[in-house]
Amino acid sequence: MFELMPWLVGMAVLIACSAFFSASEAAFFYLKWEDRKHLQQGNRAQRIAVNLLADSDRLLTAVLFWNLVVNVVYFAIVSVLAMRLDGDSGAGRSISVGFTGGALLTLIFFSEMLPKSLAVLCARRLVGVMGVPLAVTVRVLDPLMPLLRSINTISQRLVWPEFQHEPSLA
């Protein structure tokens, strides 16, 4: 069991990262105009957060991209551990299946449901705290942003050719 501990710690870190991105998505896009005006007058971190919303497509693309990367790495680790448990003579298939199912439920609850629910309750406060680290992750992704925007445009044209952007979201 001790040889699994580094993997389990890694999974916990990935859950925290996924929770950060999920909560960021909820908090940033739940803000009302009054909240944005208040944050624009706030400290430097709060102004950075509001500036991220100036290009909401860029922000959302980065948040979803990094959350997907974190979740894929999480499930890669889950797969490795499940195969180890399955191959272990003392554990067996039922332990492996239970571990995989538990890992899925843990991810859904602790990195999606709970963070988004809490983020909506205290969006303005969280945005001020999350702005700087989120700005770093967005900046890191900037070199890939033209490719990601192109993929997004192509997929929109293929899947929703008559899709019209709403002026309030633009």
Side-chain angles (χ1 to χ4, degrees), residues 41-111:
Q41 305 302 317
N43 62 34
R44 186 171 190 267
Q46 292 170 331
R47 290 191 308 271
I48 288 171
V50 172
N51 289 338
L52 286 171
L53 286 165
D55 189 352
S56 58
D57 283 343
R58 175 179 173 239
L59 175 61
L60 184 60
T61 299
V63 166
L64 295 176
F65 176 86
W66 287 118
N67 202 20
L68 178 64
V69 167
V70 167
N71 290 343
V72 166
V73 172
Y74 176 85
F75 279 108
I77 292 173
V78 169
S79 297
V80 167
L81 293 180
M83 287 188 296
R84 284 189 179 183
L85 289 171
D86 194 33
D88 186 7
S89 60
R93 182 151 305 224
S94 60
I95 298 295
S96 174
V97 170
F99 174 77
T100 303
L104 173 63
L105 294 175
T106 299
L107 186 72
I108 290 170
F109 183 75
F110 288 107
S111 72

Side-chain angles (χ1 to χ4, degrees), residues 20-21 24 28 44-45 48-49 51-52 58-59 61-63 65-66 127-145:
F20 169 79
F21 289 114
S24 296
F28 273 79
R44 186 171 190 267
I48 288 171
N51 289 338
L52 286 171
R58 175 179 173 239
L59 175 61
T61 299
V63 166
F65 176 86
W66 287 118
V127 164
V129 174
M130 296 174 152
V132 173
L134 195 57
V136 171
T137 64
V138 170
R139 179 73 49 100
V140 167
L141 195 60
D142 274 345
L144 287 177
M145 200 57 74

